[in-house]
Amino acid sequence: TDGAQLPVLVIGSGYGGAVAALRLAQAGQNVAIVEKGMSWTTAGSDGKIFCNMLSPDGRSYWLRTTTDQPVSYFMGASYNKSISSYTGVLDSEHFSQIRIYQGRGIGGGSLVNGGMAVTPKQQYFGSILPSVDPAEMYNTYYPRANAGLRVNNVDQTWFESASCYQFARVGRKTAQASGFTTTFVPNVYDFNYMKQELANTAPRSALNAEVIYGNNYGKNSLDKTYLADAMATGKVTITPQHVVTSVAPAAGTGYTVTMNQIDTSGNTVATKTVTAQKVFFAAGSVGTSKLLVTQKATGKLPNLPSTVGTGWGNNGNVMVARQNQAWDATGSLQSCIPVMGIDNWADTGGPAFAEISPFPAGIETFASLYLAITQNPNRGTFSYNSGTGGVDLNWQQAWNGVGIAAAKRIFDPINAKQATVYRTDLFGSNKVWGDDFAYHPLGGCVLNQSTDNYGRLQSYPGLYVIDGSLIPGCTTVNPFVTITALAERNIENIIANDFK
Ligand code: FDA
C-alpha cells in the first residue's frame, strides 16, 4: 500500500527474488515482493490458466497484438497470429538488434521456461564466476538449489520407448553417429506426471504443446516451490501487477521506492511510494540493468559504479533446425520438456552445448530443432536514453557469428554424415540461423565488478542485486540452476552480516 514502511522489499519474483524471500523469511524477516506480471492462478473462459503454443491468445504475450514466436516462420512464411493485447506471460522485449524473451508473472522465467535444470561441469566454473569458490558452490549451494527447485530426472527406461521423446532419440542417434557426446538433462517438470499424461490418466500439459506460454500441469515452477515455501512461513507477501520505476535514498534511513500499479491492458491505475530499509533487485538481467542505469543517469542513485549496465551476454544462444531423412521421423506427439543435450563444450575450437528441442507442430515434420549455448565472448552495454526515457542495449546481431561458428562444428558434421540439410524456412525466408533472439539474458550488474562479491551495491548500504544480472554473460549450460545457487550463496552471507 501507498506510504508503507517496509523492512525488506524484493523487486521481482523470479529465481533470485524467490530465494531471497524464502531465506530472509526463514531468518525471521518480513518480506514484501512486488512483481510486474500477473498472478497466474485464475482460469480463463476455457477453464485453463495458460494457453498452448498451437492456439495462442492474449495470455501468451506481454502487451502484443500479434504473437512473436521464436520460430516464427514455417515454409518461409510468418505464422504469427493476431492476439488481444494483455499482460500475458511471455515478454519478447525488443532492443535494436535482439529480442530478449522473459517470463512475466509470479514466478518470473520459471513460468515459461523449458525447466532444464543443468548444473555446469565444475571444471568450467572458473570461467563462469571467477571470484566465487567452486568448492562451496558444488558442496553446498548447487545441491541446495537443486533440492529447493525439486529437480528430477527422466526414467531412462521409459524414455527409450516413449513416443513423445522420439525427437530426442533421433537427435541423440544422429549426434552419436558423428561422434558427439549426448547427455540426459535434469528438469523441474514432474516426470511421473508426464508418464501419466502419456498413459492418458492425467490431463496433458507438456504433451499438449504447453511450455513457453506456461504449463497448466506438471511443471514445478517457482510458485510451486521456493515461493510456496516462502508464503508458508507467513512472513512474505507478493503483490502482482506493480512495476517499480524508481529507487532513491529516503530522507531518513532506507530507500524510497516508486511503483505503478497496472491493469491487464498495461495502463497505470495508481502510483505508489513505499519506504524500505533494504531493497533487493531481482527483476532479472534486463529488468535490473534497466532500473539501475536509469537510477544512475537520472540522479536517483548517482554513485552507482560506472560498470552498471555492462557485461551483458546472451549465453551464446543461437537456434537452428535440420531436416532429417524420411526414415528418421521425429514424431507428431512431442513433449515440450527437453531432456537431452549434445555436449561439445570440450571442443576448444568452439565450445557448444546444444539442447535437443521439441518442435511441437502437432504433425510429423521430420525436423530436429536445437538451442545451442556457446561461448560467445561479445558483451553488450545497457544505457539510458534521455530522448526516449528508455534504456537501449548495443548488442549487434553480427556478434552471434561466434555462436553460429561453434554450432556449425556440431551440425555441419551431422548433416554431412546423415546427408541432410539445415531448414531454411523457420527463422525467416531462406534463413538458417535463429540469431536475433535470446532465451538466456545474463549480466548487466556483474558480481565483484558492479557489486561486492555477494551482490551488495556498496555505495548504497542496504541495496542488493540477486538475479541473473550478476552473472557475466555465460553459464556454459542453461542458467537458472546457477542463478539459484549463486542467490543461495549470496543471501546466506547477507543474512549473516547485514541482518544482525
Ligand atoms: P526472472 O526473469 O526469472 O525474474 C525477474 C522477474 O522480475 C520477472 O517476473 C519480471 O516480470 C519481474 N520484473 C522485471 N522488472 C520489474 C519491475 N520494474 N518491477 C517489478 N517486477 C519486475 N533457463 C534454464 O536454466 N533452463 C531452461 O530450460 C530455460 N528455458 C527457457 C525458455 C524460455 C522461453 C525463456 C524465456 C527462458 C528460459 N530459460 C531457461 C532462462 C531462465 O528462465 C532465466 O535465466 C531465469 O528466469 C532468470 O532468472 P532471474 O531471477 O534472473 O529473473
Side-chain angles (χ1 to χ4, degrees):
T1 47
D2 192 29
Q5 303 281 332
L6 305 167
V8 181
L9 178 72
V10 175
I11 305 169
S13 62
Y15 294 90
V19 170
L22 173 63
R23 300 309 176 199
L24 286 163
Q26 288 175 333
Q29 298 294 319
N30 289 309
V31 180
I33 307 179
V34 286
E35 165 57 49
K36 170 174 175 171
M38 298 178 46
S39 169
W40 291 95
T41 46
T42 311
S45 54
D46 59 355
K48 299 215 163 159
I49 292 172
F50 299 110
C51 60
N52 78 2
M53 290 162 65
L54 299 178
S55 42
D57 58 32
R59 291 171 289 183
S60 59
Y61 281 88
W62 180 260
L63 301 175
R64 291 198 161 270
T65 53
T66 50
T67 64
D68 190 24
Q69 317 202 71
V71 180
S72 56
Y73 290 76
F74 194 69
M75 312 298 268
S78 171
Y79 74 88
N80 280 312
K81 295 178 180 155
S82 292
I83 51 171
S84 55
S85 179
Y86 187 73
T87 47
V89 72
L90 181 64
D91 195 357
S92 167
E93 189 168 357
H94 285 226
F95 293 92
S96 74
Q97 295 203 21
I98 189 166
R99 297 176 282 151
I100 305 179
Y101 287 96
Q102 297 152 86
R104 296 281 175 248
I106 294 179
S110 76
L111 297 169
V112 299
N113 67 35
M116 295 179 76
V118 198
T119 300
K121 285 189 179 156
Q122 188 166 350
Q123 69 204 89
Y124 303 131
F125 187 78
S127 75
I128 302 169
L129 286 161
S131 64
V132 174
D133 174 12
E136 61 176 35
M137 287 296 281
Y138 285 82
N139 293 334
T140 304
Y141 302 111
Y142 275 118
R144 189 175 293 174
N146 277 286
L149 293 166
R150 309 213 184 119
V151 174
N152 71 157
N153 292 283
V154 70
D155 173 343
Q156 294 188 16
T157 308
W158 176 81
F159 167 87
E160 293 302 338
S161 63
S163 55
C164 59
Y165 281 120
Q166 190 173 333
F167 78 94
R169 296 192 298 271
V170 167
R172 177 181 62 183
K173 182 186 86 169
T174 50
Q176 289 182 348
S178 292
F180 292 104
T181 302
T182 57
T183 174
F184 279 100
V185 167
N187 206 287
V188 299
Y189 199 93
D190 180 346
F191 285 110
N192 284 324
Y193 187 86
M194 198 189 296
K195 281 185 179 173
Q196 296 173 46
E197 292 181 48
L198 189 60
N200 275 313
T201 56
R204 288 184 167 184
S205 181
L207 270 53
N208 183 35
E210 292 179 2
V211 63
I212 65 172
Y213 307 145
N215 282 96
N216 285 300
Y217 316 99
K219 196 205 268 177
N220 279 315
S221 45
L222 289 168
D223 50 317
K224 314 259 185 334
T225 60
Y226 273 96
L227 292 172
D229 296 345
M231 293 303 287
T233 65
K235 293 190 149 300
V236 176
T237 61
I238 311 179
T239 308
Q241 294 177 275
H242 281 63
V243 186
V244 170
T245 56
S246 99
V247 179
T253 60
Y255 295 88
T256 303
V257 180
T258 308
M259 57 193 85
N260 292 331
Q261 182 179 1
I262 58 169
D263 62 18
T264 57
S265 303
N267 298 316
T268 297
V269 294
T271 297
K272 300 176 183 175
T273 300
V274 303
T275 306
Q277 293 308 309
K278 292 190 163 62
V279 178
F280 287 80
F281 289 87
S285 162
V286 178
T288 292
S289 300
K290 283 167 57 181
L291 273 171
L292 292 177
V293 298
T294 302
Q295 305 319 300
K296 180 170 172 64
T298 57
K300 304 263 176 50
L301 298 172
N303 299 331
L304 287 174
S306 56
T307 51
V308 159
T310 67
W312 186 84
N314 64 351
N315 211 20
N317 283 180
V318 287
M319 234 188 211
V320 71
R322 297 175 36 255
Q323 185 67 3
N324 288 291
Q325 295 287 1
W327 52 85
D328 278 332
T330 49
S332 55
L333 175 68
Q334 301 197 2
S335 170
C336 286
I337 296 301
V339 289
M340 191 154 283
I342 304 169
D343 185 358
N344 196 39
W345 206 266
D347 179 351
T348 50
F353 180 87
E355 137 192 352
I356 300 170
S357 304
F359 188 52
I363 52 166
E364 178 57 58
T365 63
F366 298 93
S368 284
L369 181 68
Y370 308 91
L371 173 66
I373 294 160
T374 65
Q375 199 174 60
N376 186 335
N378 291 300
R379 293 292 176 262
T381 299
F382 291 95
S383 56
Y384 181 70
N385 183 325
S386 56
T388 63
V391 172
D392 299 330
L393 174 64
N394 70 348
W395 182 267
Q396 305 293 304
Q397 189 172 342
W399 292 354
N400 275 326
V402 186
I404 291 171
K408 281 167 75 76
R409 295 174 72 86
I410 299 176
F411 300 112
D412 281 359
I414 294 177
N415 275 336
K417 178 87 179 184
Q418 302 297 321
T420 53
V421 294
Y422 291 110
R423 297 271 306 219
T424 59
D425 64 318
L426 299 179
F427 301 103
S429 179
N430 237 325
K431 184 162 164 41
V432 169
W433 297 95
D435 60 353
D436 62 342
F437 62 87
Y439 278 3
H440 300 162
L442 292 166
C445 188
V446 170
L447 187 82
N448 214 31
Q449 289 177 21
S450 291
T451 71
D452 79 350
N453 203 22
Y454 295 90
R456 296 180 184 88
L457 288 164
Q458 286 163 293
S459 40
Y460 294 100
L463 294 188
Y464 308 89
V465 173
I466 189 154
D467 59 20
S469 56
L470 292 172
I471 297 176
C474 183
T475 52
T476 75
V477 291
N478 313 62
F480 75 60
V481 175
T482 297
I483 294 170
T484 305
L486 182 65
E488 289 279 18
R489 166 192 179 269
N490 292 353
I491 199 69
E492 190 174 273
N493 181 284
I494 291 166
I495 289 170
N497 293 294
D498 301 11
F499 284 85
K500 280 188 266 205

